[in-house]
Amino acid sequence: QVQLQESGPGLVKPSETLSLTCTVSGGSTSSYYWSWIRQPPGKGLEWIGYMYYSGSTNYNPSLKSRLTISVDTSKNQFSLKLKSVTAADTAVYYCARVRRDGYNLAGSYYYYYYMDVWGKGTTVTVSS
Amino acid sequence: SSELTQDPAVSVALGQTVTITCQGDSLRTYYATWYQQKPGQAPVLVIYGKNNRPSGIPDRFSGSSSGNTASLTITGAQAEDEADYYCNSRDSSGNHWVFGGGTQLTVL
């Protein structure tokens, strides 16, 4: 059974870089898409971005200029780096495995994605 | 504000049926995925695709879609269904993902 575990510093200073790692056990990162999601205190979920194991990425436009998601298949890990953080980046950060499937609609083929395995989440506070 | 709109709160009597909705232009083309989140826990996938349930999700959960609205229906709500529910799909460009604001379900 695939399990995901987030790890990284729980406290980051403003203007510094937030770095988190998600370790995949019971499965391989050499397939599937892999995603990061966050949840500020008392608020809803926010999609951060995802990466395919081969290297293609898709980022939230509001974070794209500060964000890097990467995969290390040799370590069975994927990571998130968010530069120039502020207090607004304080949140619980989740990693998740992403599955993709497709369907036909009006003669066109579309993909849909869903996150079927989630880590327990890690709290990151941005504060001096 | 999110491109997917959900009612902030919904309540249902124990054993009754409740429908949680998610509205957005992208839902005319793309499926919504539904996640359940209980306090202090990670979200859990409950519905994906046209109307698919992962293993372990009770069959009282079902999904549907019409026009720009996706719906999650719980038929015979149980006390353990009390949670926040989030829809997730594409944004209006179709290129990125977005979550709805979430619906807090109370089972009375």
Side-chain angles (χ1 to χ4, degrees):
Chain A
Q1 183 178 355
V2 175
Q3 293 185 312
L4 280 59
Q5 178 67 58
E6 304 89 350
S7 60
L11 181 64
V12 182
K13 290 183 168 53
S15 80
E16 295 190 344
T17 296
L18 183 164
S19 296
L20 296 175
T21 297
C22 183
T23 300
V24 179
S25 58
S28 173
T29 53
S30 298
S31 58
Y32 301 111
Y33 293 77
W34 303 94
S35 184
W36 288 96
I37 306 94
R38 70 181 183 180
Q39 186 170 34
K43 296 188 178 181
L45 300 172
E46 179 183 26
W47 171 68
I48 295 173
Y50 68 72
M51 180 170 192
Y52 192 44
Y53 77 98
S54 62
S56 63
T57 55
N58 189 350
Y59 295 159
N60 185 323
S62 69
L63 299 171
K64 185 176 182 178
S65 64
R66 301 191 290 132
L67 180 63
T68 302
I69 296 176
S70 59
V71 169
D72 186 336
T73 54
S74 67
K75 294 182 179 179
N76 236 21
Q77 295 176 333
F78 63 105
S79 64
L80 171 152
K81 290 188 188 301
L82 187 65
K83 301 185 301 186
S84 305
V85 297
T86 69
D89 295 309
T90 293
V92 176
Y93 285 75
Y94 296 100
C95 59
R97 185 179 75 174
V98 182
R99 306 288 294 269
R100 188 181 82 166
D101 207 337
Y103 58 99
N104 285 299
L105 177 65
S108 296
Y109 194 78
Y110 296 93
Y111 290 110
Y112 68 89
Y113 302 79
Y114 54 97
M115 293 171 279
D116 66 337
V117 181
W118 292 64
K120 287 182 166 54
T122 188
T123 299
V124 178
T125 301
V126 178
S127 175
S128 55
Chain B
S1 63
S2 175
E3 295 189 38
L4 297 178
T5 301
Q6 297 183 242
D7 291 328
V10 170
S11 62
V12 61
L14 185 67
Q16 296 304 300
T17 296
V18 62
T19 297
I20 297 169
T21 60
C22 175
Q23 290 189 305
D25 286 342
S26 65
L27 299 179
R28 297 183 185 278
T29 303
Y30 299 102
Y31 289 136
T33 301
W34 291 94
Y35 299 93
Q36 176 195 69
Q37 186 182 34
K38 296 181 179 179
Q41 298 184 19
V44 172
L45 175 69
V46 293
I47 292 289
Y48 66 96
K50 190 172 185 179
N51 180 19
N52 300 305
R53 282 175 292 104
S55 173
I57 300 300
D59 61 5
R60 63 178 178 271
F61 289 87
S62 63
S64 63
S65 184
S66 178
N68 73 336
T69 301
S71 301
L72 173 70
T73 298
I74 307 174
T75 304
Q78 302 298 304
E80 61 264 31
D81 300 333
E82 189 163 285
D84 293 328
Y85 290 85
Y86 293 91
C87 61
N88 171 233
S89 188
R90 307 287 189 100
D91 65 5
S92 56
S93 75
N95 295 322
H96 306 292
W97 296 358
V98 65
F99 282 96
T103 297
Q104 183 177 52
L105 175 67
T106 300
V107 180
L108 303 171

